[in-house]
Amino acid sequence: MKRRSILNRTILMLLFIGMITGVGLMGCTSEQSGDSLASAEKGELSIGLTDAQGDFATYTVDVLSLTLTKGDGAVVEAVPVSTRVDFSQYTEVTEFVTAAMIPAGTYTRATITLDYRQADIRVENGSGDAVQATVIQDEDGNTITTLQASVQLENTKALVIVPGIPAHLTLDFDLKASNHVNLDDPGAPVVTVAPTLQASVNLEDSKMQRVRGPLKSVDTSTGSFRVILRPFYHALTGNHERFGTLNVITDESTVYDIDGLPYTGVAGLKALEDLGELTAVVAIGELKFNPYRFEAREVQAGFSVPGGTMDAVIGNVIRRSADTLTLKGATLHRNDGSVIFNDHVSVRIDNDTEVSRQLSSEVFSIQDVSVGQRVAVFGALTSDQVDDLQLDATQGYVKMWLTTIRGTVLETAPGDEVVPLVMKLQSIDNRLVSDFDFTGTGVDEKHDADYRRYEVNTGSLGLGDLATNTTIKVRGFVNRFGEAPPDFNAWSIINVADVRAFMKVKWHPPQNQAFASIDGEKLVLNLEQASLFHHVGRGCVVVDLNSLGTSPTIQPADSDDGLFLITWRGTIQTFSDFTAFSKTLQEHLGDSSRTVNSLFASGDFEDDTATLTTDFVDVKLR
């Protein structure tokens, strides 16, 4: 058996972008004396770039730059080189992108520049096929080459860099809020882009976070190791540190997958040390504060990292026939370091194929790999024809990843029931349920999984007040092939109604009468001339505001740290008081020549009243 052989196992993992300590930034401007902190001093910063989930099979563009602007106007370039990113991969995890020391001070703006000239954007049409977008345009119908997305950091949301006190900034490029897809021609999608960027300072992210790069050093005395950061698809070879380095903390519960062998705790850290400097490493874990640290829950190294001596394909199993798996939305990592996206890949497994599961050191079998499961499979590519990719994993390895399902509650049962939760399934890892063939998943044909009544074993998880028709997101693992019900074993359950919502509206052409009313307590929107963007989203569930039957209302949260912005002629007015904000907005629109181009707000949304209670509103005028 190959568990004791040198194999290329892995787990690329859901992704997350971040920046942490260790290297001076490139492209800094000269500092002005007006900043309250001495510009010669520097502090540690980590930046995370992540993505709310969208309907894209792939959304790959080039990130040309990520800049931070200080209160005095000085600009710092935070990404040392341009990098290619598939944002559709970063919905459940965050990946550290760069580690940096930046000039001390207060930063009030973050800007990301995206290049669409070589974009690879594919959308699932009504038949479940991933179709490449033929047109990528702005709201005026102009073809997009490059564009910028910015987010304001003001008041209590400002990014303050102080020597000796690490800080962390998470940036969220929201695909749902930033793109509108027209599928009038199912074979030629038209994507309209109006970028939306959100930011959080020193937030303990609910997503898992990923660190990727060559190993720099191991310190068994402190239970830690240092990684030279290589975000996204940057090569895992060489010792350049232009993205910086990150110290990773481990403990006795950390699980390791090293050269195809499982370890836990100190034994795993010692095995990592034995691999030596510049070994490829991927660490999955959580960013913590007070003190600031990255804690690893799982570590893969050596041949267990994609791009090693074996080919690797990552995707969801949409069909299983005997020992042949069909993966959809597959990303293929060749052993020569190249990366290929392909909608379908056929994978052959057998009883010699080794199987493991994310965040576990247990040994599994091929019967654990069932329809819907997200997997990384290692083997040898036997057909490299783009329309007929085939991978032989009979002498390889399968890693099962946490899988995310979404849907609505049909019924719940008492906690002592084997299957306490039944859902109407809407998607599996954001793929249409119509993509999946559940034949063979049940103990017999009658009990094959059915998306109309998808049965979830919640174990010891509390169901709280999950009422019928509540939209939920569940993370966990699909049950063994041929053993349903239950169909799915849950690790976590999230009520989407509890997720922070965003509201985005654009008026095209811009409107002076974009608000039905404005006062010190609320804004009531007038959507009559709203263009493609007029929706509210929560946890991958998007609602068209025109479908709610009442005019949407925005009201301030009972909070002292609100941030309300009005942008006009390149000038941004910031307010912490909603009354002052609404009064100024009303004065602007008292001039009939001034119009509203767009509104973005986030907070808690109440569907019945179409009311968003918010501590952040950004109104852009023309």
Side-chain angles (χ1 to χ4, degrees):
M1 291 289 290
K2 299 169 297 303
R3 180 147 297 277
R4 295 293 170 186
S5 64
I6 297 179
L7 277 182
N8 189 20
R9 339 202 149 242
T10 192
I11 160 178
L12 197 168
M13 291 233 83
L14 314 154
L15 306 169
F16 157 93
I17 310 171
M19 304 178 188
I20 280 202
T21 71
V23 65
L25 289 175
M26 303 173 64
C28 300
T29 63
S30 60
E31 301 295 332
Q32 302 178 19
S33 59
D35 199 285
S36 60
L37 292 173
S39 61
E41 297 181 304
K42 293 187 176 182
E44 300 176 0
L45 171 68
S46 66
I47 299 179
L49 175 60
T50 187
D51 162 49
Q53 199 136 2
D55 293 322
F56 297 94
T58 183
Y59 194 102
T60 302
V61 298
D62 293 302
V63 176
L64 296 183
S65 68
L66 196 161
T67 60
L68 301 173
T69 303
K70 299 177 73 173
D72 62 8
V75 177
V76 169
E77 176 66 62
V79 174
V81 295
S82 62
T83 185
R84 195 158 176 82
V85 181
D86 180 1
F87 282 98
S88 70
Q89 299 294 314
Y90 295 84
T91 59
E92 298 291 349
V93 86
T94 304
E95 180 175 359
F96 281 90
V97 168
T98 192
M101 298 292 293
I102 70 170
T106 300
Y107 292 82
T108 59
R109 192 172 185 83
T111 302
I112 187 171
T113 302
L114 304 175
D115 186 345
Y116 282 79
R117 286 172 292 189
Q118 301 297 323
D120 183 4
I121 298 178
R122 308 188 193 198
V123 183
E124 284 201 2
N125 61 20
S127 301
D129 298 321
V131 184
Q132 189 158 17
T134 56
V135 177
I136 305 171
Q137 63 184 24
D138 63 20
E139 279 200 299
D140 295 321
N142 301 314
T143 299
I144 293 175
T145 54
T146 63
L147 57 76
Q148 289 186 336
S150 295
V151 61
Q152 203 70 15
L153 309 168
E154 298 278 358
N155 302 341
T156 57
K157 301 183 190 315
L159 173 65
V160 180
I161 300 298
V162 178
I165 304 178
H168 181 77
L169 174 67
T170 299
L171 297 176
D172 183 349
F173 176 60
D174 195 318
L175 292 187
K176 282 284 192 183
S178 300
N179 296 270
H180 179 275
V181 179
N182 184 319
L183 277 167
D184 288 346
D185 180 349
V190 175
V191 176
T192 302
V193 186
T196 295
L197 190 65
Q198 300 183 65
S200 301
V201 176
N202 292 343
L203 173 70
E204 291 197 5
D205 202 328
S206 60
K207 298 179 181 180
M208 288 191 297
Q209 302 175 7
R210 186 182 86 145
V211 174
R212 176 182 184 271
L215 179 67
K216 182 175 177 65
S217 61
V218 176
D219 187 343
T220 55
S221 65
T222 60
S224 65
F225 62 92
R226 185 166 288 275
V227 176
I228 302 171
L229 294 180
R230 297 288 169 78
F232 314 117
Y233 302 133
H234 284 272
L236 290 168
T237 57
N239 60 0
H240 74 76
E241 298 184 9
R242 62 175 62 104
F243 290 98
T245 66
L246 173 68
N247 195 52
V248 178
I249 305 298
T250 69
D251 60 25
E252 285 299 321
S253 64
T254 302
V255 175
Y256 296 79
D257 186 352
I258 297 176
D259 279 351
L261 300 176
Y263 299 89
T264 303
V266 175
L269 190 61
K270 184 62 172 64
L272 182 64
E273 182 180 40
D274 292 342
L275 290 180
E277 187 179 2
L278 302 184
T279 298
V281 174
V282 172
I284 310 300
E286 299 166 336
L287 186 64
K288 301 289 188 180
F289 295 88
N290 301 317
Y292 178 93
R293 63 206 183 277
F294 179 83
E295 296 180 351
R297 296 175 62 185
E298 183 169 26
V299 178
Q300 298 90 42
F303 299 114
S304 297
V305 174
T309 60
M310 302 177 75
D311 298 318
V313 61
I314 300 160
N316 287 86
V317 179
I318 63 167
R319 183 181 307 109
R320 177 169 177 174
S321 177
D323 290 342
T324 299
L325 310 176
T326 302
L327 270 58
K328 184 174 176 64
T331 302
L332 176 65
H333 296 254
R334 297 302 310 276
N335 59 16
D336 63 4
S338 61
V339 179
I340 303 170
F341 171 84
N342 198 68
D343 201 29
H344 292 82
V345 175
S346 178
V347 176
R348 183 184 170 207
I349 57 177
D350 67 14
N351 288 330
D352 285 336
T353 302
E354 297 186 36
V355 181
S356 67
R357 194 170 76 180
Q358 183 183 342
L359 305 176
S360 173
S361 59
E362 297 179 37
V363 176
F364 297 84
S365 75
I366 59 172
Q367 286 305 115
D368 289 284
V369 184
S370 190
V371 177
Q373 182 63 52
R374 184 162 176 78
V375 294
V377 185
F378 290 84
L381 197 66
T382 56
S383 170
D384 59 2
Q385 299 299 310
V386 175
D387 58 351
D388 185 30
L389 290 176
Q390 298 179 25
L391 186 82
D392 186 342
T394 56
Q395 297 298 306
Y397 171 72
V398 176
K399 184 87 173 189
M400 298 183 293
W401 289 0
L402 279 168
T403 301
T404 301
I405 61 175
R406 289 173 172 82
T408 54
V409 175
L410 289 179
E411 61 188 64
T412 59
D416 58 352
E417 296 285 342
V418 174
V419 182
L421 173 63
V422 181
M423 302 171 56
K424 181 178 181 180
L425 202 59
Q426 296 176 347
S427 65
I428 300 176
D429 283 325
N430 206 41
R431 307 219 165 268
L432 302 172
V433 291
S434 57
D435 292 347
F436 297 86
D437 178 357
F438 295 105
T439 301
T441 56
V443 292
D444 53 37
E445 183 177 352
K446 179 181 177 181
H447 290 90
D448 282 347
D450 182 347
Y451 74 89
R452 294 163 297 189
R453 288 188 58 83
Y454 200 72
E455 301 183 10
V456 179
N457 174 22
T458 60
S460 60
L461 295 174
L463 295 179
D465 56 353
L466 291 181
T468 300
N469 295 324
T470 298
T471 301
I472 59 174
K473 177 172 76 171
V474 182
R475 299 193 71 202
F477 297 94
V478 178
N479 198 16
R480 286 167 57 88
F481 188 69
E483 295 191 11
D487 306 314
F488 195 85
N489 296 302
W491 276 38
S492 64
I493 301 174
I494 299 173
N495 185 341
V496 170
D498 297 332
V499 175
R500 186 174 177 88
F502 67 81
M503 178 184 289
K504 180 171 184 176
V505 182
K506 288 184 70 72
W507 289 266
H508 187 69
Q511 297 292 308
N512 177 263
Q513 301 297 318
F515 299 99
S517 65
I518 302 175
D519 60 43
E521 297 181 353
K522 63 183 182 300
L523 307 177
V524 180
L525 277 60
N526 176 6
L527 300 180
E528 288 186 8
Q529 299 298 322
S531 60
L532 298 177
F533 297 90
H534 40 78
H535 52 259
V536 64
R538 289 168 303 195
C540 197
V541 177
V542 174
V543 176
D544 185 339
L545 291 170
N546 282 323
S547 70
L548 298 178
T550 186
S551 298
T553 297
I554 295 174
Q555 65 184 24
D558 185 15
S559 171
D560 295 329
D561 64 350
L563 176 59
F564 310 108
L565 309 176
I566 300 174
T567 302
W568 182 59
R569 291 185 175 177
T571 300
I572 301 174
Q573 294 176 276
T574 64
F575 305 84
S576 58
D577 178 72
F578 187 86
T579 300
F581 159 75
S582 58
K583 180 181 178 180
T584 303
L585 180 60
Q586 194 170 33
E587 291 172 352
H588 273 290
L589 297 178
D591 182 340
S592 60
S593 67
R594 299 182 190 180
T595 56
V596 179
N597 180 53
S598 66
L599 174 145
F600 182 86
S602 60
D604 298 323
F605 188 72
E606 176 61 49
D607 294 80
D608 293 340
T609 62
T611 298
L612 183 75
T613 302
T614 180
D615 58 4
F616 178 80
V617 181
D618 184 2
V619 177
K620 289 182 168 54
L621 304 178
R622 283 190 182 178

